[in-house]
Amino acid sequence: MVANHPVQSTGSNMTGAHLLAAALKRHGVKEIFGQSIPSALFLAAPDYGIRQIGYRTENAGAAMADAYARTSGKVAVVTAQNGPAATLLVPGLAEALKASIPMVAIVQDVSRRFTDKNAFQELDHFALFSGVAKWVRRVADPQRIDDYVDMAFTAAASGRAGPAVLLVPLDVLDERPDLVPATPQRSASLGTFPLDRTVADPERVSAAADMIAAAKTPIVIAGGGVHSSQAWAQLEAVQALGLPVATTVMGKGSVAESHPLSVGVVGYFMAPRSRSSHLRSLVTEADLVILVGNRTNQNGTDSWSLYPKNATYIHIDIESSEVGRNYEAFRLVGDAKLTLSALEAELKKRDLSAITSRRPTLEATIASGRAAHKDDMKRLVNMDASPLRPERILADIDTVLTPETITVADASYSSIWIANFLTAQKSGQRFLTPRGIAGLGWGLPYAIGAKTARPDAHVICLTGDGGFGHVWSELETARRMKLPIVVVVLNNQILGYQKHAELSLFGGFTDVCDFEAVDHAAIARAVGCDGVRIESPADFLPALKDALASGRTTVLDVITDQRAYPPITSFEGKDALNY
C-alpha cells in the first residue's frame, strides 16, 4: 500500500498533526473516539476521512474504543488530554489489557520545553500507564511520527493484543517538520488484528491430534481468544468432527448454541436455572480438556473448582504465558485460527471412531440437559411476575435477536443474564461483556462503540441501574453522533450483586446497596432520546420491538424484582437471600 502523505516538499505547511492524521489513515482508521483534544489532530482529521466520535467522559470513550475493536476487527483509537483526562483512560485500558483488546491511546502531553516545570496538568504518564498498557512511548520529534505510530499499532495488534499509549507533546503537533521528499515514507497498513498469525509447532499439533483421538470424554472450552482470532469457522470444523464445545462468557458466540454438540457457557453460574446446569458433568468428567483462547480465570472456572483435576489438558493460545498458567497443559502456542485449522487437518488423518461412536449419546445428553433447563424455568421462575423477572426480559429479547444483532452488557449481573439466557444463533455472533476486570459502567459506551463499528446492525444493551448511573451522559453522545441503540435498564433500586453477595457472605448488607428511585426513562427524554418505563411483563416485548424499529436511541426502564439473582453457584442454599 502506498503511503498517503500530503508532504510534497521541504518547508511544507503541513504540521505534525497532519502527519499524525495521515499515518492513522494509512492504518485504516476512520473513527477516533475523542473529546476535541488534541485539537490540532481533530482539526486536521476530516481532511483524511477520519470522523471524531465525541464522548462525554474519557472512561466511557475508552470503553467505546474497546467495543469498536471487538466488533470491527480493527485497532481502535481513543484520545485524551494530559493530566486528569488521561487518568480517566486507565479503567478502559486495564479492561483492554486483561481482555486482550487492541487499541491505541493518543494522549496529548505538555510542550517539550515545559517538561518537568509543573506545566498545566503535567503528569508522569509513563508511570500512570505502565500497569495498564503493553507499550508506552513519547514522540519527541515530529519527523518520527510515522515511526512511532507504526510501533504503537504493531504493539497493540501483535501477539496477545492490548492497548498501546502514544504520548504526543502539544508543540510536536503544531511544528512544521522539515521533511525531505527523497526520504522514504512508511507504507505499511497495520490497523487490523491479529497482525501476525503464527501456528503451533506441527509436531505438537500432530501429537495433540493423537491425544484427542484416544480420549474417551474430550471437551473443548473456548474463550474470547476465538473471537479475537476470528477462528469461528475453524472451531466449527473441529466441532463437526464430534467434539462438544463449551464457552466462557467472553467466548459466547464462538459456536452456534443451537448446535447439538454445543454445551453453552460454563463457569461460576451453573446453578439451577442456568442453561448448562444439567451439563456440568460434561466438564467435570472429561478426561481431556482442550482450551482455546481461554485464560482459565476465576469466574470462568468457578474459582478453579469446575475443571477436572485428573484430566489431561491441551491449551491453544497466542500468549505462551497463559498456557498452563492454572492447569498444566500440552502446549500449542499459536494463533487460534491457524492452529485449529492445523489440528482439524491432523484429526482427519486419525481414527476418530471413539469420538464418532460417542456422538449419538452425547447429543442426547445435551438435548436432555436443555430440556431439563426448560422444565426448571417453568418450575422455578414465575415469568409473569411483577416487578419483572430478568429471565422474562431476556426471554423476550431472545425472540427478537437475529444472527446479526449485537448484544452488549454491563458488568456484574447483566453479563451473567445475557450469557445464560440469550442464544447465539451462529458462530461469530457477538455478545460483548467487560470480563477483563469487569467494571461497572461499560454497557452503554460498549453499545455506542459497537454501533460505530456496525452501523447497520441492531445493538441492544443490557445494564442495571447501578451501572447505568455511571454513564447517563453518554445518551447524549448516542443522539448527537446519530448512533441509535436500545438500552434496557434492569431497575431494581439496588446494587444487586453487591447486596446479594454481602447477604450471602455476611447475612447483612451495607447501606449504600440501596438506591433512591430514579426514572431512567425521564432522563432519556430529557436529553432528546426516547424513554419508556415498563412495569408490566406484557408491555416489554412490544416496547422493545417499537424501539428497534424507531431508529432512535431508546431507554426501556424496566422495574425488576430486586430479589432476582442469576444462577450463581455460591449463592445456592443461602437463606439470607430469601428476604
Side-chain angles (χ1 to χ4, degrees):
M1 182 176 177
V2 178
N4 190 356
H5 282 297
V7 181
Q8 300 296 326
S9 62
T10 303
S12 166
N13 289 326
M14 295 299 167
T15 66
H18 289 88
L19 293 175
L20 180 54
L24 295 174
K25 178 182 180 180
R26 174 163 56 86
H27 294 304
V29 175
K30 295 182 179 180
E31 292 91 6
I32 302 176
F33 297 90
Q35 197 188 62
S36 295
I37 305 295
S39 298
L41 171 61
F42 285 116
L43 289 169
D47 293 338
Y48 299 85
I50 298 174
R51 176 192 183 197
Q52 179 183 189
I53 307 297
Y55 55 68
R56 298 294 293 255
T57 63
E58 285 75 13
N59 51 356
M64 293 175 197
D66 178 322
Y68 179 90
R70 297 190 198 204
T71 307
S72 68
K74 297 168 61 177
V75 178
V77 179
V78 64
T79 68
Q81 187 175 358
N82 50 289
T87 67
L88 292 175
L89 291 179
V90 168
L93 297 185
E95 170 67 30
L97 182 68
K98 293 293 289 185
S100 306
I101 307 302
M103 69 172 72
V104 172
I106 298 173
V107 177
Q108 179 177 288
D109 210 347
V110 300
S111 296
R112 288 168 291 178
R113 65 183 181 276
F114 295 158
T115 301
D116 295 327
K117 295 184 69 174
N118 289 331
F120 179 62
Q121 295 184 336
E122 184 179 16
L123 189 66
D124 183 349
H125 294 107
F126 286 97
L128 175 69
F129 294 120
S130 63
V132 295
K134 291 179 63 178
W135 180 95
V136 186
R137 296 290 190 279
R138 177 185 285 119
V139 181
D141 182 348
Q143 298 191 87
R144 297 290 309 281
I145 284 174
D146 270 292
D147 299 345
Y148 277 96
V149 169
D150 283 20
M151 284 188 273
F153 274 78
T154 300
S158 61
R160 178 177 181 170
V165 179
L166 185 61
L167 308 173
V168 186
L170 181 61
D171 57 324
V172 167
L173 293 168
D174 293 336
E175 189 170 306
R176 290 177 168 80
D178 186 20
L179 292 176
V180 179
T183 301
Q185 299 296 319
R186 288 180 170 267
S187 60
S189 183
L190 309 170
T192 58
F193 68 97
L195 181 58
D196 303 306
R197 292 188 184 273
T198 59
V199 66
D201 182 343
E203 291 186 4
R204 298 189 70 82
V205 173
S206 178
D210 289 336
M211 295 164 64
I212 295 169
K216 295 180 180 179
T217 53
I219 189 170
V220 178
I221 306 179
V226 173
H227 287 298
S228 294
S229 179
Q230 300 169 29
W232 311 300
Q234 291 70 29
L235 182 58
E236 272 189 317
V238 169
Q239 185 180 44
L241 297 177
L243 292 171
V245 177
T247 75
T248 66
V249 177
M250 281 191 64
K252 184 178 176 70
S254 297
V255 291
E257 291 178 323
S258 56
H259 191 284
L261 288 176
S262 290
V263 178
V265 180
V266 298
Y268 74 116
F269 40 76
M270 295 177 73
R273 288 181 292 123
S274 166
R275 279 191 178 180
S276 56
S277 61
H278 294 277
L279 301 175
R280 189 180 183 95
S281 63
L282 294 181
V283 179
T284 60
E285 297 177 10
D287 65 341
L288 177 66
V289 180
I290 304 141
L291 303 169
V292 186
N294 180 341
R295 293 178 295 154
T296 63
N297 66 2
Q298 183 174 7
N299 288 347
T301 62
D302 200 0
S303 295
W304 305 285
S305 69
L306 175 64
Y307 293 7
K309 290 183 172 58
N310 297 321
T312 299
Y313 288 82
I314 296 171
H315 199 158
I316 299 171
D317 205 283
I318 192 69
E319 174 55 56
S320 61
S321 66
E322 288 298 334
V323 176
R325 178 193 287 271
N326 294 314
Y327 297 90
E328 188 171 334
F330 187 81
R331 303 172 64 83
L332 293 181
V333 177
D335 169 65
K337 184 175 184 177
L338 294 187
T339 303
L340 283 171
S341 181
L343 182 61
E344 182 215 359
E346 286 296 321
L347 285 169
K348 286 182 174 179
K349 301 175 185 178
R350 304 302 192 271
D351 176 4
L352 300 181
S353 57
I355 292 174
T356 55
S357 63
R358 178 194 179 212
R359 183 166 183 166
T361 301
L362 183 58
E363 289 187 357
T365 298
I366 293 173
S368 176
R370 292 174 180 172
H373 166 257
K374 290 181 180 179
D375 290 340
D376 285 348
M377 293 299 293
K378 294 176 182 176
R379 178 172 54 87
L380 298 173
V381 181
N382 179 2
M383 299 291 270
D384 295 320
S386 184
L388 278 71
R389 291 284 305 193
E391 296 93 338
R392 167 62 184 266
I393 297 165
L394 273 294
D396 284 349
I397 293 174
D398 210 30
T399 67
V400 304
L401 294 188
T402 73
E404 304 308 317
T405 305
I406 299 170
T407 312
V408 309
D410 216 314
S412 194
Y413 279 175
S414 297
S415 294
I416 308 174
W417 289 125
I418 75 164
N420 262 296
F421 297 105
L422 296 183
T423 307
Q425 299 177 20
K426 71 169 185 177
S427 63
Q429 186 171 350
R430 293 318 308 265
F431 299 83
L432 306 183
T433 55
R435 305 304 293 179
I437 58 171
L440 281 178
W442 263 266
L444 173 56
Y446 263 17
I448 294 172
K451 187 67 173 180
T452 303
R454 292 273 306 281
D456 295 333
H458 283 312
V459 178
I460 300 173
C461 167
L462 186 75
T463 182
D465 50 342
F468 189 53
H470 287 244
V471 286
W472 290 336
S473 59
E474 301 301 340
L475 287 173
E476 187 275 334
T477 300
R479 179 192 176 200
R480 171 168 38 91
M481 303 309 302
K482 297 179 174 56
L483 297 168
I485 55 177
V486 177
V487 183
V488 179
V489 180
L490 304 181
N491 185 355
N492 58 10
Q493 262 185 252
I494 61 170
L495 278 174
Y497 209 156
Q498 187 68 29
K499 183 169 183 174
H500 295 151
E502 290 180 2
L503 282 167
S504 174
L505 290 169
F506 307 112
F509 59 90
T510 53
D511 56 9
V512 297
C513 291
D514 288 347
F515 297 139
E516 294 295 327
V518 175
D519 188 338
H520 302 95
I523 292 172
R525 293 192 295 270
V527 296
C529 301
D530 291 344
V532 181
R533 189 173 177 90
I534 296 168
E535 301 183 45
S536 169
D539 293 339
F540 177 74
L541 185 57
L544 176 62
K545 291 178 177 179
D546 288 345
L548 290 170
S550 72
R552 290 172 51 82
T553 292
T554 303
V555 172
L556 304 180
D557 187 27
V558 189
I559 307 305
T560 55
D561 183 356
Q562 71 160 255
R563 295 168 297 176
Y565 55 84
I568 296 170
T569 53
S570 63
F571 284 2
E572 290 307 298
K574 298 298 178 68
D575 291 338
L577 294 176
N578 299 320
Y579 63 95

